[in-house]
Amino acid sequence: MLFFAVFMLFSILVLRLGELQIVFGDDFKREIERTEDVTVSNPVPRGKMLDRSGKVIVDNTPLNAITYTKQSDTTTKDMLETAEKLAKLIDLDSSKVPERDKKDFWILIHPEKAKDKITAKEWNLLDQKKLDNEKIYKLQLDRITNEDLNSLTPQELETCAIWREMNSGYSLTPQIVKNKDVTPEEFAAVSENLENLPGVDTTTDWDRNYVFGDTLKSILGEVSSSESGLPKEQLETYLAKGYSRNDRVGKSYLELKYEDVLRGEKAKVKNVTDKTGKVLSTDVISEGQRGKDLVLTIDMDLQAQVDKIIEEEMWKAKQNPNTGLMDRAFVVLMNPKTGEILAMSGKQLVKNKETGKMEMRDYAQGNITSSYNVGSAVKGATILTGYKTGAIKPGDTQLDEPLVIKNTQTKKSWKTFGRINDLRALQVSSNVYMWKTVIAMAHGQYVPNRPLVLDSDYGFDTMRKSFSQFGLGSRTGIDLPNETTGFPGPEKKPGLLLDFAIGQYDTYTPIQLAQYIATIANGGYRIEPHLVKEIRDPSENTNELGPIVQEIQPKVLNRLDMKDDWIKRVQEGFRMVFQVGDGTGVGYWKSAAYNPAGKTGTAEAFYDGSDKTKRGTPVWNLSLVSFAPYDNPEVSMAVVVPWAYQGSGPSINHTIGRRVMDAYFDLKKARAAAEPTAEQNAGGNLLDTTSTSTPVETTPTAETTEQTE
């Protein structure tokens, strides 16, 4: 019976082995030989940014880099051993390693001491499944003391920093361990010892290089580092687009706005692994291609001159005792026919925390993110709104006289002009003419010493709707994120409507002011301003531009619902401001050879800057809008100097504006006289503002005056 039982058991075993080999043998063989294809995308350098002539503004600087690629079967012990070896070959700053990572590392290298952090009772609770491993680990972390962390040697801390970088990436995805300040000695030492450093490699990485330093830096934007990777608030969006967590992306302005263009096509590598995760082979699927290049509308030579002019005039103005609160100034130069931004400059005085001294910093972004009362510069829109609503007709006269409204302080122009027409009102910046225009528009009537009765709701709605056609109080459409619309005043009282008519109620951004004057200059077309002129494929020859992928065409947002003759009349009024008689800009502009036109602006406002102790202080904002030549405008300009002075002070809006416009035409003249260079032939004249698809055609004092305008 025993022999029979043994025989039966062996028979069953043989049958089972036969079944496994004959029936399931191929399945098990395939499982043993099973491999998995894992495709990994490696980042490539970003595209460049160039100015309109082809000068490189933003480039990529090559960097020696040391990377680590974690295999699927790599253990924590393996990584630690590699980190220890690597720490002997390179120096890595450990001062920024978070305390939590130090605690994790301490537990890793002191497992017995970490075990002693848990009591016998707690270990029993773990055995009884009343505590889990996660809770035990948290208790260990909480009980690690500063004394424990201070026991880590400098070499161990450096190993910790390296281990942290190695551990932050995905499996089979190269992770940068060090790419800043890698010395030739470090690069060579690691290269020579790669066979003893599994997963480690030496390669070439890149860093963003802003060639002109801080010039226009706040508009160009920033790129995240490999350490910070994807921004948390947009993490899911980027991951859905195929990004890795440690990819560098545009964080602000042009770098952010054109991320999809600048990022490039990642190199794709296929790793073939066995069932344990061990890499059997690596095949390159595609080499990848760096990002496309952006050719900007900006002329960097002109931009540099505008920056310098603002700085010089601000430092000069600061010598006046009444300019203590002035800390910023803005200039926008634009082609009124195409919307191309030729220069966008903003400067801000900021106290250096280390030296305690005031220094000038780039604040170009303030042209789209900050807004101010701009004063009489908007009176062109007020006159045109008056024409449109029938409140006035071209040539109508009004008596410029002090307005005495019951229970209200007397309101008047900076000077009493008597009976004047619309052109004269623009020429000398009459407030009373504007007030009487909006009173008529809002179905009111001025009677001396009587309350002012008018339909202020209708007046505000009509004026704001009309002003928005010029871009005032609405987004301009510029190709940058974070554009603000300015702030409309919260109330709609009759007196506030009068303030609105002369630019002393709602606030506007410098870029809105630039779009407004461009709309008048080009004959009534509101053109969308833009900073990117072309998108080009990267070129294999670093000295040449690649082929054009997309050329940004001028975009008309709307046409003023106004007669051409009305617009021409306002243009003439603006010419008179700068060139005729006692126009408010004649003292600064009459001698200009390029036939300028424009409008000055002075607004009584309240300081709202960084000095909280001075907020609410009465100040004067200065502005200026202009275009030239008057009969065929090729450039328009907006200047804004908030909080320029208290009481009285220098007309810095004029001095900045005149020098900037002079610089534009002087630069154009100098280039016309010079022989074309190879660079200009390749990229076009820096100040060539012509366009093959131009959508519109155009037809053609004293300091105290400006202060009280």
Side-chain angles (χ1 to χ4, degrees), residues 49 139 157 209 376 421 535 676:
M49 295 188 201
L139 290 172
L157 285 173
N209 175 30
S376 300
N421 66 8
I535 299 173

Side-chain angles (χ1 to χ4, degrees), residues 622-643:
L622 298 182
S623 65
L624 179 106
V625 293
S626 66
F627 58 89
Y630 158 74
D631 51 350
N632 186 22
E634 64 181 69
V635 61
S636 56
M637 176 179 67
V639 179
V640 179
V641 186
W643 320 319

